[in-house]
Amino acid sequence: MISEQSQTRKHQNTWIFQGNPDDFKIDQYISENNEIWWSLNQQHFLDQISEGDLVYIWRSDGKKRGTGGIIARGIVNGEPSLNISPSKYWLKKPDENEKFHIPITVENHLINENYIRRTALKVHPKLNDLLILRMANNTNYLVNDEHAKLLHKLWEKYIKLHTKQIRRDELKDTVRNDLEADKAQFDSYYKDGETKSYYGNRYERKAKNRLRAIEIHGTTCAVCGFNFEEVYGENGKDFIEIHHKNPLSTLEAAIEIDPRTDLVPVCSNCHRMLHRDRENVLSVEELRVMIKRKVFI
């Protein structure tokens, strides 16, 4: 998101600042620092750069063809300054004599993720004529208003996808840990319904089906509305049990499960009540009716 400072400014310029990974450890510099300085090699822009301007950091291809593109976004947080000491991240000693540097606060980055590649921009219907795509030797590029709006939308899209992937990865870890903590009930990694022999027949449940069910249905009990995170806080985040509408113990062979139609999230109490009579497993609707009857008696 754009900071409050940039939102309140009447006019805001947008820039692309480029760095060469063969000369400078750009990935490490950005990932290790929230506050950075960038060289202003195009000195004629000095009077046009102001606090609150947006800056997209562009990593050039260097010697790795096809890897260039926008990897970070930040905001100018102060006035340009002369002769900042050469950074420890330089691979080659730069010419820093009488050169202004721009202070930038990094808002977010996609260094090791799906960043906006040069190759993607070259086929973009409107961003394919960005100046940096036509003249790649500069360090500092002023982006026109039309391109700035498009870049903003594109960057937000990439950040949203990145955030969604992080969330999915976290949820995968949670599901994996929950399954490991409850092996007596959930022995994963095979087709749902596949029989395993331990002290009796137990039926495998795929971790990916549990993950998908949570993504589709959420973590609130479909019977009583209980939510572990609301009651237990962070310790209950993402926790819920997953109920198979068709009991796996009644299956004679492995089947493929559709998490959207075959699985439903339920709290531990409701799950036990659904399965209390093994010969007559209740449906979610039946148990929900029982609870309502009890409430209104």
Side-chain angles (χ1 to χ4, degrees), residues 39-51:
S39 300
L40 182 64
N41 289 335
Q42 280 61 54
Q43 298 286 319
H44 59 280
F45 285 141
L46 181 61
D47 294 334
Q48 298 181 57
I49 295 180
S50 301
E51 188 171 356

Side-chain angles (χ1 to χ4, degrees), residues 14 143-154:
T14 297
V143 180
N144 66 45
D145 290 343
E146 180 184 5
H147 285 165
K149 291 177 181 178
L150 292 170
L151 275 179
H152 171 72
K153 290 181 180 179
L154 189 60

